[in-house]
Amino acid sequence: DGGITQSPKYLFRKEGQNVTLSCEQNLNHDAMYWYRQDPGQGLRLIYYSQIVNDFQKGDIAEGYSVSREKKESFPLTVTSAQKNPTAFYLCASSIGSESYEQYFGPGTRLTVT
Amino acid sequence: AQSVTQLGSHVSVSEGALVLLRCNYSSSVPPYLFWYVQYPNQGLQLLLKYTSAATLVKGINGFEAEFKKSETSFHLTKPSAHMSDAAEYFCAVRPTQGGSEKLVFGKGTKLTVNP
C-alpha cells in the first residue's frame, strides 16, 4: 500500500531539546513538504524539497531544519531556537513540479513543556 | 501574493440539510483550487480539485464545488449532510503561473452535523 508515514504519532519533549520528526513516502514522489498546523491558523509551510539534496525555506522556517538525502525521506528537526514548537506537524508529497495536488501523512503532534 | 479566505470558522447543519462551505481567493489569474478534509488528529485528504477544466467539480463523499471566476469563489457543497461529514475543511490555492508548487491554505471551517 503506497502512502506517507509519519512517526511517532505523539511526541513529548522538554524545552531546550532538539527533536526530529520522521516522514517517509513510498509513492515515488519527487517533492515533499512540511507544514505546521495550529488551531484556527490553517496550515503554514515550513520547508519544501523538489528534489533530492535540495530544499527551500517556506513561510515559517526559523527554528527548523531539514535534510533530503533520499527521495523517500524528508525528516524535520525542531530546534531549541523554535520559540513555540508545540503544534501538529504534517508532511506531504507531490509527484513533482507538474503535479497539482499534495498528499498528506497522518501527522505528528509535538508537545514541548 | 495569493490568499484564500474561508468565510465562517464554524458551520453547523442538521443531518440531511444542505452543506455550504465558502471559499474566496485573491488572484488576477484563476489559480488551481482544492478542497481538503481533515478528521480529528489525522492528516488531510483531498476532496476535489479545480484545474481549469469543468467549472463544476465533483469530488468524493458526494461533495462538489463550483468555480466562479466573476466572484473569485470556489464554494463547497453537499446536498444532504451525514454525521460522518463532521470534520474540518480547508480550501487551498496554487498559482497557475510563476512556477510555484506551493499551496496556500485557508484557515479552515469546522463543520458540525447535528442529529
Side-chain angles (χ1 to χ4, degrees):
Chain A
D1 237 353
I4 302 173
T5 56
Q6 293 186 243
S7 61
K9 181 69 175 174
Y10 299 93
L11 193 51
F12 299 87
R13 282 293 184 271
K14 294 290 187 186
E15 198 173 313
Q17 295 178 334
N18 291 356
V19 59
T20 297
L21 281 60
S22 167
C23 177
E24 304 276 334
Q25 54 99 358
N26 61 4
L27 300 167
N28 201 32
H29 286 177
D30 284 321
M32 297 186 74
Y33 310 82
W34 274 106
Y35 293 91
R36 171 183 172 135
Q37 185 178 20
D38 298 282
Q41 295 294 315
L43 276 69
R44 293 181 289 169
L45 183 64
I46 304 172
Y47 268 98
Y48 65 104
S49 167
Q50 295 174 304
I51 197 168
V52 174
N53 292 323
D54 187 43
F55 48 83
Q56 287 78 40
K57 293 182 179 179
D59 301 317
I60 56 164
E62 186 175 348
Y64 300 96
S65 66
V66 293
S67 63
R68 186 86 188 277
E69 297 176 0
K70 298 187 294 182
K71 186 175 185 177
E72 59 270 22
S73 179
F74 191 41
L76 173 75
T77 297
V78 184
T79 75
S80 56
Q82 169 49 233
K83 295 190 188 331
N84 296 297
T86 294
F88 191 51
Y89 290 88
L90 288 159
C91 179
S93 70
S94 64
I95 292 174
S97 59
E98 298 304 314
S99 171
Y100 303 126
E101 65 264 34
Q102 295 178 12
Y103 298 88
F104 285 80
T108 291
R109 186 166 297 280
L110 173 65
T111 302
V112 177
T113 57
Chain B
Q2 299 268 353
S3 68
V4 176
T5 301
Q6 291 185 239
L7 189 61
S9 58
H10 290 83
V11 169
S12 182
V13 301
S14 298
E15 192 173 16
L18 171 71
V19 176
L20 171 61
L21 304 181
R22 299 178 188 274
C23 173
N24 288 88
Y25 65 91
S26 67
S27 173
S28 56
V29 177
Y32 300 129
L33 292 152
F34 309 84
W35 275 100
Y36 284 87
V37 61
Q38 184 182 35
Y39 298 99
N41 288 313
Q42 295 186 25
L44 276 66
Q45 179 183 9
L46 181 68
L47 274 178
L48 48 80
K49 63 185 179 187
Y50 168 76
T51 55
S52 73
T55 56
L56 182 62
V57 181
K58 293 189 184 300
I60 62 171
N61 301 339
F63 284 93
E64 63 182 36
E66 186 172 9
F67 171 72
K68 291 187 176 180
K69 182 179 176 181
S70 61
E71 299 177 7
T72 60
S73 69
F74 190 56
H75 301 331
L76 181 71
T77 60
K78 182 174 180 177
S80 177
H82 192 272
M83 297 295 290
S84 61
D85 295 326
E88 191 158 19
Y89 293 79
F90 292 92
C91 183
V93 60
R94 178 194 158 177
T96 55
Q97 298 177 351
S100 174
E101 295 180 41
K102 295 193 288 183
L103 290 182
V104 176
F105 285 85
K107 293 186 185 296
T109 297
K110 190 163 287 187
L111 176 66
T112 301
V113 181
N114 302 306

